[in-house]
Amino acid sequence: MKKAIYVILSLTLLVTSCSKKAKNEEKKMRTITPIFGMTEENYQAVLDKSILSLGNNYRLKKFIEKYESGEDIYIAAIGGSVTEGAGPTNYTDGYFYQFINRLRSEYKRKGSGKVVMNDAALSGTSSAIGWVRYQSDVIDVLGGHVPDLLIIEFAVNDYMEPTKVRGFEAMIRRALSDNPDCAVIVLYAAATYGNTQNDMKPVANFYKVPQISILDAIKQPMESGQIKKESFYTDIVHPYKEGHTLMVDCIINLFRKVEDLEADENFPIPASTKLKPDFVGLVRITGDDENVKIDAGDFNQTDENCQTIKKTGKSNFPQNWCHKAGSKSFKMDINCKNLIFLFKEGNAAAKDVVYGQAEVYIDGKLLDTYNAAKEGGWNNPAVKVIIDEAEAKDHTVEVKMISGDENKEFTIVAMGYSR
């Protein structure tokens, strides 16, 4: 009996050893081809420099394991124009689409499960807007499934972001709460003007999620002339296809570093938030619910010309409240502690539409006046936090056109509230 057990154990160890050896041989065959004319050594140094933090590797290892097993996999990215694929001639040459292709070539899958990917990025948007869109544009588009891997990229758009990183934290917390095994990667894209990674890093560190900084990766090579700025950027922020490829190589390099490490113990979601939990549990307003009652007044039209998303060519905000003519204000009774308000910025020089200004009142007091006509506006949403309090209570929100603008256009693109 003991001899039989010994034989079984020996065979098991032999199979395990052979399996590990085969996998190591397979990994040796995988290569990352240097670009921008760099040597392998210098290019590898760039990729290594991009790893701002390996974080806790438990979830990323779980993702790789699940992917290789052949189970159904759900992958999403949310961010701004860089993640949407801006820069290359074809948006599908953006880093997220390249990454999905590289993932398929990098790892062999044993089963025949689905790999469902969703690029939920929208150009020009901050993490505050991303947080309003998260349920509808990430979860719903995945058919109600939560991501196994989520890439978050907002660092080049989050200057003056109105939640002051609280929405960014709420997004990370939601992903980890929905799926405790979700591998969240925070990607800090680069721009010639810098980025906001230093503001976001303490939150990402708090949740011990891996972080990649493209800004850190290319800073020294650009200063030394190894990478020409005009070869990387199409403008002040968007990379050419080769720049997106470098971003993919940085992500794959992170995967490889994690593979070579012993697995960390699972890091549970912290019981409390790093910042004030004001925007945790945010709900996008789609109409009346138990906490929201809306009288749209003359904001009762649907704007068919809100910002489109590249992957569909359709409006990303098909439900909205648009004013085209009339003096009746939009009124909403709501119980909340926070309210994010998005309105459309149209091109002030447009010949077919005249955009106007609207006043926003909270509980009968004028909060601010917002102008929908913006020089260079491209139907993008502007974002404001119009209620920001410690506790939920009843409020009345009123939006009305200023005197003289009753026949001009103003669109409330979306709203989200927390309690």
Side-chain angles (χ1 to χ4, degrees), residues 321-380:
W321 297 268
C322 178
H323 173 279
K324 294 190 175 180
S327 58
K328 293 180 182 177
S329 59
F330 171 97
K331 293 181 180 178
M332 178 172 67
D333 292 322
I334 184 169
N335 183 274
C336 69
K337 62 179 180 180
N338 305 97
L339 181 61
I340 297 177
F341 181 88
L342 277 61
F343 68 94
K344 172 181 160 180
E345 290 185 328
N347 192 330
K351 296 179 180 179
D352 54 338
V353 180
V354 179
Y355 296 102
Q357 299 181 61
E359 297 172 332
V360 176
Y361 293 81
I362 306 295
D363 301 327
K365 295 181 180 179
L366 177 63
L367 173 71
D368 210 340
T369 302
Y370 300 133
N371 190 353
K374 183 180 180 181
E375 185 177 348
W378 42 285
N379 300 338
N380 54 295

Side-chain angles (χ1 to χ4, degrees), residues 256-331:
R256 292 184 179 184
K257 297 292 185 187
V258 165
E259 279 189 281
D260 289 338
L261 296 172
E262 291 295 320
D264 292 332
E265 292 291 325
N266 186 16
F267 178 71
I269 304 168
S272 59
T273 55
K274 169 72 173 173
L275 307 174
K276 291 181 180 180
D278 303 321
F279 293 91
V280 173
L282 184 117
V283 176
R284 184 167 176 172
I285 297 172
T286 56
D288 291 355
D289 63 33
E290 61 181 1
N291 303 306
V292 178
K293 301 299 175 189
I294 294 174
D295 176 0
D298 286 325
F299 289 73
N300 58 358
Q301 304 292 307
T302 298
D303 190 338
E304 305 289 347
N305 294 310
C306 287
Q307 184 178 350
T308 58
I309 190 165
K310 291 183 188 296
K311 66 182 180 181
T312 64
K314 297 178 180 179
S315 171
N316 191 246
F317 303 98
Q319 181 187 25
N320 52 68
W321 297 268
C322 178
H323 173 279
K324 294 190 175 180
S327 58
K328 293 180 182 177
S329 59
F330 171 97
K331 293 181 180 178

Side-chain angles (χ1 to χ4, degrees), residues 239-267:
Y240 285 102
K241 180 181 177 180
E242 291 76 13
H244 281 273
T245 300
L246 181 143
M247 295 176 72
V248 176
D249 289 342
C250 290
I251 298 171
I252 293 297
N253 186 56
L254 169 70
F255 274 58
R256 292 184 179 184
K257 297 292 185 187
V258 165
E259 279 189 281
D260 289 338
L261 296 172
E262 291 295 320
D264 292 332
E265 292 291 325
N266 186 16
F267 178 71

Side-chain angles (χ1 to χ4, degrees), residues 123-319:
S123 295
T125 56
S126 65
S127 58
I129 297 175
W131 184 219
V132 172
R133 299 172 54 239
Y134 186 83
Q135 175 65 43
S136 59
D137 287 15
V138 175
I139 304 298
D140 292 351
V141 172
L142 288 175
H145 295 278
V146 297
D148 296 296
L149 172 68
L150 176 68
I151 299 173
I152 301 175
E153 176 273 313
F154 285 107
V156 294
N157 287 357
D158 265 11
Y159 290 99
M160 306 300 290
E161 180 274 309
T163 71
K164 299 177 181 177
V165 196
R166 290 172 293 169
F168 169 71
E169 177 174 13
M171 199 181 312
I172 294 176
R173 197 171 183 88
R174 166 79 188 271
L176 297 177
S177 299
D178 283 351
N179 176 9
D181 288 337
C182 177
V184 174
I185 296 174
V186 175
L187 176 63
Y188 305 116
T192 55
Y193 51 79
N195 67 20
T196 60
Q197 65 185 45
N198 289 337
D199 297 327
M200 305 167 87
K201 187 165 61 172
V203 168
N205 285 342
F206 182 72
Y207 292 92
K208 295 191 177 181
V209 298
Q211 300 163 69
I212 294 172
S213 171
I214 306 304
L215 187 66
D216 285 6
I218 65 174
K219 185 176 185 293
Q220 192 280 326
M222 279 194 178
E223 289 175 349
S224 66
Q226 287 181 299
I227 298 177
K228 304 289 186 186
K229 188 178 291 186
E230 58 272 20
S231 298
F232 186 88
Y233 291 112
T234 64
D235 47 30
I236 62 172
V237 63
H238 303 113
Y240 285 102
K241 180 181 177 180
E242 291 76 13
H244 281 273
T245 300
L246 181 143
M247 295 176 72
V248 176
D249 289 342
C250 290
I251 298 171
I252 293 297
N253 186 56
L254 169 70
F255 274 58
R256 292 184 179 184
K257 297 292 185 187
V258 165
E259 279 189 281
D260 289 338
L261 296 172
E262 291 295 320
D264 292 332
E265 292 291 325
N266 186 16
F267 178 71
I269 304 168
S272 59
T273 55
K274 169 72 173 173
L275 307 174
K276 291 181 180 180
D278 303 321
F279 293 91
V280 173
L282 184 117
V283 176
R284 184 167 176 172
I285 297 172
T286 56
D288 291 355
D289 63 33
E290 61 181 1
N291 303 306
V292 178
K293 301 299 175 189
I294 294 174
D295 176 0
D298 286 325
F299 289 73
N300 58 358
Q301 304 292 307
T302 298
D303 190 338
E304 305 289 347
N305 294 310
C306 287
Q307 184 178 350
T308 58
I309 190 165
K310 291 183 188 296
K311 66 182 180 181
T312 64
K314 297 178 180 179
S315 171
N316 191 246
F317 303 98
Q319 181 187 25

